[in-house]
Amino acid sequence: MLIIQCCKHKTVKNCIFCQIVKGKIPANFVYQDKDLVAFQDINPIAPVHILIIPRKHIVGIQTIQDKDQRILGKMLLVAKKLAEQNKLKGYKLVINCGKLGGQRVLHLHFHLVGGWKDLKKYHQWIEERFREGGVL
Ligand code: AMP
Ligand code: ZN
């Protein structure tokens, strides 16, 4: 898919998601507009696992400001649209906030995860993942 590059947004040199936004690291994009991109998670935990991120480098919910309100609202609307496109009847929107919240990539992202036939499978996966010391 064509990557629409957008130079007006502030990006950070050694941030992996800024590199994805700039097209310097490949990703499987499923949505793009002037403010946001969404792409498939490289290590999916569910049949559908999409990351929705702003083009602009925002560290996380822990650093958002009033001026980010429009973009944050848009991220939710895009999440809903992508859930509909993927015909998800139910799903989770997960936002890890800060290192102690399990956030490994310090560029704001929503995880849209779903597509399990049975929610029990998700719970089993979560248990295993945490037992192994992992995070979502
Ligand atoms: P978090 O732990 O909430 O910061 O989530 C970061 C997510 O980014 C993880 O689910 C990773 O699998 C995902 N991720 C890291 N690098 C890439 C990449 N190059 N392309 C797609 N997803 C990635
Ligand atoms: Zn970034």
Side-chain angles (χ1 to χ4, degrees), residues 98-123:
K99 286 187 181 163
L100 278 178
Q103 184 181 2
R104 289 161 294 175
V105 177
L106 294 175
H107 180 131
L108 176 64
H109 51 283
F110 292 179
H111 296 256
L112 170 65
V113 286
W116 304 278
K117 289 203 177 93
D118 181 346
L119 199 55
K120 270 188 198 156
K121 286 206 170 83
Y122 170 75
H123 290 137

mmCIF file with all atom_site columns, all heavy atoms in Angstrom, residues 98-123:
data_model
loop_
_atom_site.group_PDB
_atom_site.id
_atom_site.type_symbol
_atom_site.label_atom_id
_atom_site.label_alt_id
_atom_site.label_comp_id
_atom_site.label_asym_id
_atom_site.label_entity_id
_atom_site.label_seq_id
_atom_site.pdbx_PDB_ins_code
_atom_site.Cartn_x
_atom_site.Cartn_y
_atom_site.Cartn_z
_atom_site.occupancy
_atom_site.B_iso_or_equiv
_atom_site.pdbx_formal_charge
_atom_site.auth_seq_id
_atom_site.auth_comp_id
_atom_site.auth_asym_id
_atom_site.auth_atom_id
_atom_site.pdbx_PDB_model_num
ATOM 1   N N   . GLY A 1 98  ? 2.719   3.943   29.913 1.00 0.00 ? 98  GLY A N   1
ATOM 2   C CA  . GLY A 1 98  ? 3.959   4.010   30.680 1.00 0.00 ? 98  GLY A CA  1
ATOM 3   C C   . GLY A 1 98  ? 4.575   2.633   30.865 1.00 0.00 ? 98  GLY A C   1
ATOM 4   O O   . GLY A 1 98  ? 3.915   1.604   30.700 1.00 0.00 ? 98  GLY A O   1
ATOM 5   N N   . LYS A 1 99  ? 5.863   2.620   31.206 1.00 0.00 ? 99  LYS A N   1
ATOM 6   C CA  . LYS A 1 99  ? 6.593   1.346   31.300 1.00 0.00 ? 99  LYS A CA  1
ATOM 7   C C   . LYS A 1 99  ? 5.960   0.405   32.312 1.00 0.00 ? 99  LYS A C   1
ATOM 8   O O   . LYS A 1 99  ? 5.828   -0.786  32.065 1.00 0.00 ? 99  LYS A O   1
ATOM 9   C CB  . LYS A 1 99  ? 8.058   1.608   31.639 1.00 0.00 ? 99  LYS A CB  1
ATOM 10  C CG  . LYS A 1 99  ? 8.794   2.154   30.414 1.00 0.00 ? 99  LYS A CG  1
ATOM 11  C CD  . LYS A 1 99  ? 10.274  2.276   30.608 1.00 0.00 ? 99  LYS A CD  1
ATOM 12  C CE  . LYS A 1 99  ? 10.868  2.862   29.307 1.00 0.00 ? 99  LYS A CE  1
ATOM 13  N NZ  . LYS A 1 99  ? 12.205  3.393   29.478 1.00 0.00 ? 99  LYS A NZ  1
ATOM 14  N N   . LEU A 1 100 ? 5.518   0.959   33.452 1.00 0.00 ? 100 LEU A N   1
ATOM 15  C CA  . LEU A 1 100 ? 4.895   0.099   34.470 1.00 0.00 ? 100 LEU A CA  1
ATOM 16  C C   . LEU A 1 100 ? 3.493   -0.337  34.062 1.00 0.00 ? 100 LEU A C   1
ATOM 17  O O   . LEU A 1 100 ? 2.907   -1.212  34.687 1.00 0.00 ? 100 LEU A O   1
ATOM 18  C CB  . LEU A 1 100 ? 4.865   0.815   35.831 1.00 0.00 ? 100 LEU A CB  1
ATOM 19  C CG  . LEU A 1 100 ? 6.165   0.751   36.622 1.00 0.00 ? 100 LEU A CG  1
ATOM 20  C CD1 . LEU A 1 100 ? 6.034   1.523   37.931 1.00 0.00 ? 100 LEU A CD1 1
ATOM 21  C CD2 . LEU A 1 100 ? 6.562   -0.694  36.913 1.00 0.00 ? 100 LEU A CD2 1
ATOM 22  N N   . GLY A 1 101 ? 2.953   0.274   33.017 1.00 0.00 ? 101 GLY A N   1
ATOM 23  C CA  . GLY A 1 101 ? 1.662   -0.155  32.468 1.00 0.00 ? 101 GLY A CA  1
ATOM 24  C C   . GLY A 1 101 ? 1.857   -1.143  31.323 1.00 0.00 ? 101 GLY A C   1
ATOM 25  O O   . GLY A 1 101 ? 0.900   -1.504  30.642 1.00 0.00 ? 101 GLY A O   1
ATOM 26  N N   . GLY A 1 102 ? 3.109   -1.553  31.105 1.00 0.00 ? 102 GLY A N   1
ATOM 27  C CA  . GLY A 1 102 ? 3.383   -2.543  30.057 1.00 0.00 ? 102 GLY A CA  1
ATOM 28  C C   . GLY A 1 102 ? 3.640   -1.923  28.692 1.00 0.00 ? 102 GLY A C   1
ATOM 29  O O   . GLY A 1 102 ? 3.671   -2.632  27.689 1.00 0.00 ? 102 GLY A O   1
ATOM 30  N N   . GLN A 1 103 ? 3.822   -0.609  28.637 1.00 0.00 ? 103 GLN A N   1
ATOM 31  C CA  . GLN A 1 103 ? 4.056   0.047   27.334 1.00 0.00 ? 103 GLN A CA  1
ATOM 32  C C   . GLN A 1 103 ? 5.531   -0.081  26.961 1.00 0.00 ? 103 GLN A C   1
ATOM 33  O O   . GLN A 1 103 ? 6.412   0.414   27.657 1.00 0.00 ? 103 GLN A O   1
ATOM 34  C CB  . GLN A 1 103 ? 3.665   1.535   27.414 1.00 0.00 ? 103 GLN A CB  1
ATOM 35  C CG  . GLN A 1 103 ? 3.790   2.238   26.073 1.00 0.00 ? 103 GLN A CG  1
ATOM 36  C CD  . GLN A 1 103 ? 3.422   3.718   26.143 1.00 0.00 ? 103 GLN A CD  1
ATOM 37  O OE1 . GLN A 1 103 ? 3.107   4.256   27.213 1.00 0.00 ? 103 GLN A OE1 1
ATOM 38  N NE2 . GLN A 1 103 ? 3.473   4.374   25.005 1.00 0.00 ? 103 GLN A NE2 1
ATOM 39  N N   . ARG A 1 104 ? 5.760   -0.784  25.848 1.00 0.00 ? 104 ARG A N   1
ATOM 40  C CA  . ARG A 1 104 ? 7.148   -0.991  25.413 1.00 0.00 ? 104 ARG A CA  1
ATOM 41  C C   . ARG A 1 104 ? 7.564   0.019   24.356 1.00 0.00 ? 104 ARG A C   1
ATOM 42  O O   . ARG A 1 104 ? 8.716   0.399   24.279 1.00 0.00 ? 104 ARG A O   1
ATOM 43  C CB  . ARG A 1 104 ? 7.326   -2.418  24.887 1.00 0.00 ? 104 ARG A CB  1
ATOM 44  C CG  . ARG A 1 104 ? 7.275   -3.458  25.994 1.00 0.00 ? 104 ARG A CG  1
ATOM 45  C CD  . ARG A 1 104 ? 6.984   -4.835  25.462 1.00 0.00 ? 104 ARG A CD  1
ATOM 46  N NE  . ARG A 1 104 ? 5.640   -4.897  24.898 1.00 0.00 ? 104 ARG A NE  1
ATOM 47  C CZ  . ARG A 1 104 ? 5.137   -5.942  24.282 1.00 0.00 ? 104 ARG A CZ  1
ATOM 48  N NH1 . ARG A 1 104 ? 5.878   -7.024  24.125 1.00 0.00 ? 104 ARG A NH1 1
ATOM 49  N NH2 . ARG A 1 104 ? 3.911   -5.925  23.816 1.00 0.00 ? 104 ARG A NH2 1
ATOM 50  N N   . VAL A 1 105 ? 6.607   0.410   23.517 1.00 0.00 ? 105 VAL A N   1
ATOM 51  C CA  . VAL A 1 105 ? 6.921   1.409   22.488 1.00 0.00 ? 105 VAL A CA  1
ATOM 52  C C   . VAL A 1 105 ? 6.344   2.742   22.958 1.00 0.00 ? 105 VAL A C   1
ATOM 53  O O   . VAL A 1 105 ? 5.123   2.888   23.111 1.00 0.00 ? 105 VAL A O   1
ATOM 54  C CB  . VAL A 1 105 ? 6.338   1.009   21.110 1.00 0.00 ? 105 VAL A CB  1
ATOM 55  C CG1 . VAL A 1 105 ? 6.627   2.104   20.086 1.00 0.00 ? 105 VAL A CG1 1
ATOM 56  C CG2 . VAL A 1 105 ? 6.916   -0.322  20.644 1.00 0.00 ? 105 VAL A CG2 1
ATOM 57  N N   . LEU A 1 106 ? 7.232   3.692   23.188 1.00 0.00 ? 106 LEU A N   1
ATOM 58  C CA  . LEU A 1 106 ? 6.796   4.967   23.781 1.00 0.00 ? 106 LEU A CA  1
ATOM 59  C C   . LEU A 1 106 ? 6.354   5.952   22.696 1.00 0.00 ? 106 LEU A C   1
ATOM 60  O O   . LEU A 1 106 ? 6.905   7.045   22.552 1.00 0.00 ? 106 LEU A O   1
ATOM 61  C CB  . LEU A 1 106 ? 7.898   5.525   24.684 1.00 0.00 ? 106 LEU A CB  1
ATOM 62  C CG  . LEU A 1 106 ? 8.169   4.643   25.920 1.00 0.00 ? 106 LEU A CG  1
ATOM 63  C CD1 . LEU A 1 106 ? 9.345   5.170   26.722 1.00 0.00 ? 106 LEU A CD1 1
ATOM 64  C CD2 . LEU A 1 106 ? 6.939   4.489   26.811 1.00 0.00 ? 106 LEU A CD2 1
ATOM 65  N N   . HIS A 1 107 ? 5.392   5.523   21.911 1.00 0.00 ? 107 HIS A N   1
ATOM 66  C CA  . HIS A 1 107 ? 4.679   6.347   20.915 1.00 0.00 ? 107 HIS A CA  1
ATOM 67  C C   . HIS A 1 107 ? 3.231   5.864   21.018 1.00 0.00 ? 107 HIS A C   1
ATOM 68  O O   . HIS A 1 107 ? 2.963   4.671   20.807 1.00 0.00 ? 107 HIS A O   1
ATOM 69  C CB  . HIS A 1 107 ? 5.276   6.106   19.518 1.00 0.00 ? 107 HIS A CB  1
ATOM 70  C CG  . HIS A 1 107 ? 4.639   6.879   18.410 1.00 0.00 ? 107 HIS A CG  1
ATOM 71  N ND1 . HIS A 1 107 ? 5.384   7.604   17.477 1.00 0.00 ? 107 HIS A ND1 1
ATOM 72  C CD2 . HIS A 1 107 ? 3.341   7.040   18.044 1.00 0.00 ? 107 HIS A CD2 1
ATOM 73  C CE1 . HIS A 1 107 ? 4.567   8.176   16.605 1.00 0.00 ? 107 HIS A CE1 1
ATOM 74  N NE2 . HIS A 1 107 ? 3.315   7.835   16.917 1.00 0.00 ? 107 HIS A NE2 1
ATOM 75  N N   . LEU A 1 108 ? 2.356   6.772   21.366 1.00 0.00 ? 108 LEU A N   1
ATOM 76  C CA  . LEU A 1 108 ? 0.965   6.401   21.658 1.00 0.00 ? 108 LEU A CA  1
ATOM 77  C C   . LEU A 1 108 ? 0.382   5.430   20.628 1.00 0.00 ? 108 LEU A C   1
ATOM 78  O O   . LEU A 1 108 ? 0.523   5.637   19.424 1.00 0.00 ? 108 LEU A O   1
ATOM 79  C CB  . LEU A 1 108 ? 0.108   7.683   21.673 1.00 0.00 ? 108 LEU A CB  1
ATOM 80  C CG  . LEU A 1 108 ? -1.400  7.481   21.869 1.00 0.00 ? 108 LEU A CG  1
ATOM 81  C CD1 . LEU A 1 108 ? -1.706  6.891   23.237 1.00 0.00 ? 108 LEU A CD1 1
ATOM 82  C CD2 . LEU A 1 108 ? -2.144  8.802   21.673 1.00 0.00 ? 108 LEU A CD2 1
ATOM 83  N N   . HIS A 1 109 ? -0.266  4.378   21.123 1.00 0.00 ? 109 HIS A N   1
ATOM 84  C CA  . HIS A 1 109 ? -0.942  3.437   20.221 1.00 0.00 ? 109 HIS A CA  1
ATOM 85  C C   . HIS A 1 109 ? -2.091  2.765   20.939 1.00 0.00 ? 109 HIS A C   1
ATOM 86  O O   . HIS A 1 109 ? -2.012  2.481   22.129 1.00 0.00 ? 109 HIS A O   1
ATOM 87  C CB  . HIS A 1 109 ? 0.029   2.387   19.660 1.00 0.00 ? 109 HIS A CB  1
ATOM 88  C CG  . HIS A 1 109 ? 0.858   1.691   20.696 1.00 0.00 ? 109 HIS A CG  1
ATOM 89  N ND1 . HIS A 1 109 ? 1.955   2.283   21.298 1.00 0.00 ? 109 HIS A ND1 1
ATOM 90  C CD2 . HIS A 1 109 ? 0.756   0.459   21.244 1.00 0.00 ? 109 HIS A CD2 1
ATOM 91  C CE1 . HIS A 1 109 ? 2.495   1.440   22.164 1.00 0.00 ? 109 HIS A CE1 1
ATOM 92  N NE2 . HIS A 1 109 ? 1.769   0.330   22.161 1.00 0.00 ? 109 HIS A NE2 1
ATOM 93  N N   . PHE A 1 110 ? -3.152  2.523   20.172 1.00 0.00 ? 110 PHE A N   1
ATOM 94  C CA  . PHE A 1 110 ? -4.277  1.715   20.657 1.00 0.00 ? 110 PHE A CA  1
ATOM 95  C C   . PHE A 1 110 ? -4.104  0.337   20.035 1.00 0.00 ? 110 PHE A C   1
ATOM 96  O O   . PHE A 1 110 ? -3.870  0.244   18.824 1.00 0.00 ? 110 PHE A O   1
ATOM 97  C CB  . PHE A 1 110 ? -5.622  2.265   20.176 1.00 0.00 ? 110 PHE A CB  1
ATOM 98  C CG  . PHE A 1 110 ? -6.040  3.600   20.753 1.00 0.00 ? 110 PHE A CG  1
ATOM 99  C CD1 . PHE A 1 110 ? -7.237  4.172   20.340 1.00 0.00 ? 110 PHE A CD1 1
ATOM 100 C CD2 . PHE A 1 110 ? -5.278  4.268   21.696 1.00 0.00 ? 110 PHE A CD2 1
ATOM 101 C CE1 . PHE A 1 110 ? -7.658  5.394   20.850 1.00 0.00 ? 110 PHE A CE1 1
ATOM 102 C CE2 . PHE A 1 110 ? -5.696  5.493   22.219 1.00 0.00 ? 110 PHE A CE2 1
ATOM 103 C CZ  . PHE A 1 110 ? -6.894  6.059   21.782 1.00 0.00 ? 110 PHE A CZ  1
ATOM 104 N N   . HIS A 1 111 ? -4.230  -0.712  20.841 1.00 0.00 ? 111 HIS A N   1
ATOM 105 C CA  . HIS A 1 111 ? -4.283  -2.072  20.304 1.00 0.00 ? 111 HIS A CA  1
ATOM 106 C C   . HIS A 1 111 ? -5.760  -2.393  20.071 1.00 0.00 ? 111 HIS A C   1
ATOM 107 O O   . HIS A 1 111 ? -6.556  -2.359  21.025 1.00 0.00 ? 111 HIS A O   1
ATOM 108 C CB  . HIS A 1 111 ? -3.772  -3.099  21.315 1.00 0.00 ? 111 HIS A CB  1
ATOM 109 C CG  . HIS A 1 111 ? -2.324  -2.972  21.703 1.00 0.00 ? 111 HIS A CG  1
ATOM 110 N ND1 . HIS A 1 111 ? -1.344  -3.807  21.225 1.00 0.00 ? 111 HIS A ND1 1
ATOM 111 C CD2 . HIS A 1 111 ? -1.693  -2.127  22.557 1.00 0.00 ? 111 HIS A CD2 1
ATOM 112 C CE1 . HIS A 1 111 ? -0.168  -3.481  21.769 1.00 0.00 ? 111 HIS A CE1 1
ATOM 113 N NE2 . HIS A 1 111 ? -0.364  -2.459  22.586 1.00 0.00 ? 111 HIS A NE2 1
ATOM 114 N N   . LEU A 1 112 ? -6.105  -2.715  18.843 1.00 0.00 ? 112 LEU A N   1
ATOM 115 C CA  . LEU A 1 112 ? -7.450  -3.235  18.550 1.00 0.00 ? 112 LEU A CA  1
ATOM 116 C C   . LEU A 1 112 ? -7.294  -4.743  18.398 1.00 0.00 ? 112 LEU A C   1
ATOM 117 O O   . LEU A 1 112 ? -6.611  -5.203  17.471 1.00 0.00 ? 112 LEU A O   1
ATOM 118 C CB  . LEU A 1 112 ? -7.989  -2.611  17.257 1.00 0.00 ? 112 LEU A CB  1
ATOM 119 C CG  . LEU A 1 112 ? -9.271  -3.215  16.688 1.00 0.00 ? 112 LEU A CG  1
ATOM 120 C CD1 . LEU A 1 112 ? -10.455 -2.990  17.619 1.00 0.00 ? 112 LEU A CD1 1
ATOM 121 C CD2 . LEU A 1 112 ? -9.589  -2.634  15.310 1.00 0.00 ? 112 LEU A CD2 1
ATOM 122 N N   . VAL A 1 113 ? -7.842  -5.491  19.345 1.00 0.00 ? 113 VAL A N   1
ATOM 123 C CA  . VAL A 1 113 ? -7.653  -6.945  19.322 1.00 0.00 ? 113 VAL A CA  1
ATOM 124 C C   . VAL A 1 113 ? -9.002  -7.656  19.394 1.00 0.00 ? 113 VAL A C   1
ATOM 125 O O   . VAL A 1 113 ? -9.884  -7.273  20.173 1.00 0.00 ? 113 VAL A O   1
ATOM 126 C CB  . VAL A 1 113 ? -6.718  -7.447  20.466 1.00 0.00 ? 113 VAL A CB  1
ATOM 127 C CG1 . VAL A 1 113 ? -5.280  -7.117  20.189 1.00 0.00 ? 113 VAL A CG1 1
ATOM 128 C CG2 . VAL A 1 113 ? -7.122  -6.895  21.813 1.00 0.00 ? 113 VAL A CG2 1
ATOM 129 N N   . GLY A 1 114 ? -9.134  -8.666  18.577 1.00 0.00 ? 114 GLY A N   1
ATOM 130 C CA  . GLY A 1 114 ? -10.387 -9.412  18.582 1.00 0.00 ? 114 GLY A CA  1
ATOM 131 C C   . GLY A 1 114 ? -10.363 -10.506 17.541 1.00 0.00 ? 114 GLY A C   1
ATOM 132 O O   . GLY A 1 114 ? -9.336  -10.783 16.921 1.00 0.00 ? 114 GLY A O   1
ATOM 133 N N   . GLY A 1 115 ? -11.524 -11.103 17.368 1.00 0.00 ? 115 GLY A N   1
ATOM 134 C CA  . GLY A 1 115 ? -11.668 -12.148 16.365 1.00 0.00 ? 115 GLY A CA  1
ATOM 135 C C   . GLY A 1 115 ? -11.597 -13.548 16.938 1.00 0.00 ? 115 GLY A C   1
ATOM 136 O O   . GLY A 1 115 ? -11.603 -14.523 16.203 1.00 0.00 ? 115 GLY A O   1
ATOM 137 N N   . TRP A 1 116 ? -11.539 -13.648 18.279 1.00 0.00 ? 116 TRP A N   1
ATOM 138 C CA  . TRP A 1 116 ? -11.577 -14.985 18.878 1.00 0.00 ? 116 TRP A CA  1
ATOM 139 C C   . TRP A 1 116 ? -12.984 -15.537 18.702 1.00 0.00 ? 116 TRP A C   1
ATOM 140 O O   . TRP A 1 116 ? -13.966 -14.800 18.837 1.00 0.00 ? 116 TRP A O   1
ATOM 141 C CB  . TRP A 1 116 ? -11.277 -14.952 20.376 1.00 0.00 ? 116 TRP A CB  1
ATOM 142 C CG  . TRP A 1 116 ? -9.988  -14.309 20.708 1.00 0.00 ? 116 TRP A CG  1
ATOM 143 C CD1 . TRP A 1 116 ? -8.755  -14.888 20.660 1.00 0.00 ? 116 TRP A CD1 1
ATOM 144 C CD2 . TRP A 1 116 ? -9.797  -12.959 21.149 1.00 0.00 ? 116 TRP A CD2 1
ATOM 145 N NE1 . TRP A 1 116 ? -7.820  -13.965 21.046 1.00 0.00 ? 116 TRP A NE1 1
ATOM 146 C CE2 . TRP A 1 116 ? -8.412  -12.790 21.347 1.00 0.00 ? 116 TRP A CE2 1
ATOM 147 C CE3 . TRP A 1 116 ? -10.650 -11.893 21.393 1.00 0.00 ? 116 TRP A CE3 1
ATOM 148 C CZ2 . TRP A 1 116 ? -7.868  -11.595 21.770 1.00 0.00 ? 116 TRP A CZ2 1
ATOM 149 C CZ3 . TRP A 1 116 ? -10.113 -10.696 21.824 1.00 0.00 ? 116 TRP A CZ3 1
ATOM 150 C CH2 . TRP A 1 116 ? -8.736  -10.554 22.007 1.00 0.00 ? 116 TRP A CH2 1
ATOM 151 N N   . LYS A 1 117 ? -13.057 -16.869 18.490 1.00 0.00 ? 117 LYS A N   1
ATOM 152 C CA  . LYS A 1 117 ? -14.388 -17.487 18.435 1.00 0.00 ? 117 LYS A CA  1
ATOM 153 C C   . LYS A 1 117 ? -14.953 -17.574 19.838 1.00 0.00 ? 117 LYS A C   1
ATOM 154 O O   . LYS A 1 117 ? -16.149 -17.570 20.058 1.00 0.00 ? 117 LYS A O   1
ATOM 155 C CB  . LYS A 1 117 ? -14.286 -18.869 17.804 1.00 0.00 ? 117 LYS A CB  1
ATOM 156 C CG  . LYS A 1 117 ? -13.989 -18.780 16.317 1.00 0.00 ? 117 LYS A CG  1
ATOM 157 C CD  . LYS A 1 117 ? -14.436 -20.034 15.579 1.00 0.00 ? 117 LYS A CD  1
ATOM 158 C CE  . LYS A 1 117 ? -14.193 -19.885 14.096 1.00 0.00 ? 117 LYS A CE  1
ATOM 159 N NZ  . LYS A 1 117 ? -12.903 -20.420 13.687 1.00 0.00 ? 117 LYS A NZ  1
ATOM 160 N N   . ASP A 1 118 ? -14.016 -17.684 20.782 1.00 0.00 ? 118 ASP A N   1
ATOM 161 C CA  . ASP A 1 118 ? -14.422 -17.920 22.160 1.00 0.00 ? 118 ASP A CA  1
ATOM 162 C C   . ASP A 1 118 ? -13.547 -17.041 23.063 1.00 0.00 ? 118 ASP A C   1
ATOM 163 O O   . ASP A 1 118 ? -12.318 -17.096 22.970 1.00 0.00 ? 118 ASP A O   1
ATOM 164 C CB  . ASP A 1 118 ? -14.176 -19.414 22.432 1.00 0.00 ? 118 ASP A CB  1
ATOM 165 C CG  . ASP A 1 118 ? -14.584 -19.826 23.821 1.00 0.00 ? 118 ASP A CG  1
ATOM 166 O OD1 . ASP A 1 118 ? -14.815 -18.947 24.667 1.00 0.00 ? 118 ASP A OD1 1
ATOM 167 O OD2 . ASP A 1 118 ? -14.643 -21.047 24.059 1.00 0.00 ? 118 ASP A OD2 1
ATOM 168 N N   . LEU A 1 119 ? -14.161 -16.273 23.909 1.00 0.00 ? 119 LEU A N   1
ATOM 169 C CA  . LEU A 1 119 ? -13.399 -15.356 24.778 1.00 0.00 ? 119 LEU A CA  1
ATOM 170 C C   . LEU A 1 119 ? -12.477 -16.114 25.730 1.00 0.00 ? 119 LEU A C   1
ATOM 171 O O   . LEU A 1 119 ? -11.453 -15.595 26.167 1.00 0.00 ? 119 LEU A O   1
ATOM 172 C CB  . LEU A 1 119 ? -14.370 -14.466 25.563 1.00 0.00 ? 119 LEU A CB  1
ATOM 173 C CG  . LEU A 1 119 ? -13.791 -13.183 26.160 1.00 0.00 ? 119 LEU A CG  1
ATOM 174 C CD1 . LEU A 1 119 ? -13.107 -12.312 25.117 1.00 0.00 ? 119 LEU A CD1 1
ATOM 175 C CD2 . LEU A 1 119 ? -14.869 -12.394 26.883 1.00 0.00 ? 119 LEU A CD2 1
ATOM 176 N N   . LYS A 1 120 ? -12.832 -17.396 25.984 1.00 0.00 ? 120 LYS A N   1
ATOM 177 C CA  . LYS A 1 120 ? -11.984 -18.224 26.867 1.00 0.00 ? 120 LYS A CA  1
ATOM 178 C C   . LYS A 1 120 ? -10.574 -18.322 26.301 1.00 0.00 ? 120 LYS A C   1
ATOM 179 O O   . LYS A 1 120 ? -9.594  -18.358 27.026 1.00 0.00 ? 120 LYS A O   1
ATOM 180 C CB  . LYS A 1 120 ? -12.572 -19.629 26.980 1.00 0.00 ? 120 LYS A CB  1
ATOM 181 C CG  . LYS A 1 120 ? -13.553 -19.786 28.107 1.00 0.00 ? 120 LYS A CG  1
ATOM 182 C CD  . LYS A 1 120 ? -13.913 -21.252 28.255 1.00 0.00 ? 120 LYS A CD  1
ATOM 183 C CE  . LYS A 1 120 ? -15.197 -21.372 29.052 1.00 0.00 ? 120 LYS A CE  1
ATOM 184 N NZ  . LYS A 1 120 ? -15.886 -22.626 28.758 1.00 0.00 ? 120 LYS A NZ  1
ATOM 185 N N   . LYS A 1 121 ? -10.485 -18.387 24.960 1.00 0.00 ? 121 LYS A N   1
ATOM 186 C CA  . LYS A 1 121 ? -9.164  -18.500 24.310 1.00 0.00 ? 121 LYS A CA  1
ATOM 187 C C   . LYS A 1 121 ? -8.326  -17.277 24.637 1.00 0.00 ? 121 LYS A C   1
ATOM 188 O O   . LYS A 1 121 ? -7.120  -17.356 24.867 1.00 0.00 ? 121 LYS A O   1
ATOM 189 C CB  . LYS A 1 121 ? -9.327  -18.605 22.791 1.00 0.00 ? 121 LYS A CB  1
ATOM 190 C CG  . LYS A 1 121 ? -9.824  -19.921 22.318 1.00 0.00 ? 121 LYS A CG  1
ATOM 191 C CD  . LYS A 1 121 ? -9.351  -20.165 20.879 1.00 0.00 ? 121 LYS A CD  1
ATOM 192 C CE  . LYS A 1 121 ? -9.624  -21.583 20.469 1.00 0.00 ? 121 LYS A CE  1
ATOM 193 N NZ  . LYS A 1 121 ? -10.978 -21.799 20.004 1.00 0.00 ? 121 LYS A NZ  1
ATOM 194 N N   . TYR A 1 122 ? -8.950  -16.146 24.663 1.00 0.00 ? 122 TYR A N   1
ATOM 195 C CA  . TYR A 1 122 ? -8.231  -14.914 25.002 1.00 0.00 ? 122 TYR A CA  1
ATOM 196 C C   . TYR A 1 122 ? -7.732  -14.990 26.450 1.00 0.00 ? 122 TYR A C   1
ATOM 197 O O   . TYR A 1 122 ? -6.578  -14.693 26.733 1.00 0.00 ? 122 TYR A O   1
ATOM 198 C CB  . TYR A 1 122 ? -9.142  -13.705 24.808 1.00 0.00 ? 122 TYR A CB  1
ATOM 199 C CG  . TYR A 1 122 ? -8.554  -12.428 25.376 1.00 0.00 ? 122 TYR A CG  1
ATOM 200 C CD1 . TYR A 1 122 ? -7.534  -11.773 24.717 1.00 0.00 ? 122 TYR A CD1 1
ATOM 201 C CD2 . TYR A 1 122 ? -9.011  -11.915 26.587 1.00 0.00 ? 122 TYR A CD2 1
ATOM 202 C CE1 . TYR A 1 122 ? -6.974  -10.613 25.244 1.00 0.00 ? 122 TYR A CE1 1
ATOM 203 C CE2 . TYR A 1 122 ? -8.465  -10.760 27.116 1.00 0.00 ? 122 TYR A CE2 1
ATOM 204 C CZ  . TYR A 1 122 ? -7.450  -10.111 26.443 1.00 0.00 ? 122 TYR A CZ  1
ATOM 205 O OH  . TYR A 1 122 ? -6.901  -8.977  26.973 1.00 0.00 ? 122 TYR A OH  1
ATOM 206 N N   . HIS A 1 123 ? -8.603  -15.432 27.339 1.00 0.00 ? 123 HIS A N   1
ATOM 207 C CA  . HIS A 1 123 ? -8.213  -15.485 28.745 1.00 0.00 ? 123 HIS A CA  1
ATOM 208 C C   . HIS A 1 123 ? -7.084  -16.491 28.972 1.00 0.00 ? 123 HIS A C   1
ATOM 209 O O   . HIS A 1 123 ? -6.152  -16.234 29.738 1.00 0.00 ? 123 HIS A O   1
ATOM 210 C CB  . HIS A 1 123 ? -9.432  -15.788 29.624 1.00 0.00 ? 123 HIS A CB  1
ATOM 211 C CG  . HIS A 1 123 ? -10.392 -14.642 29.666 1.00 0.00 ? 123 HIS A CG  1
ATOM 212 N ND1 . HIS A 1 123 ? -11.749 -14.779 29.577 1.00 0.00 ? 123 HIS A ND1 1
ATOM 213 C CD2 . HIS A 1 123 ? -10.175 -13.309 29.733 1.00 0.00 ? 123 HIS A CD2 1
ATOM 214 C CE1 . HIS A 1 123 ? -12.328 -13.581 29.613 1.00 0.00 ? 123 HIS A CE1 1
ATOM 215 N NE2 . HIS A 1 123 ? -11.395 -12.682 29.700 1.00 0.00 ? 123 HIS A NE2 1
#
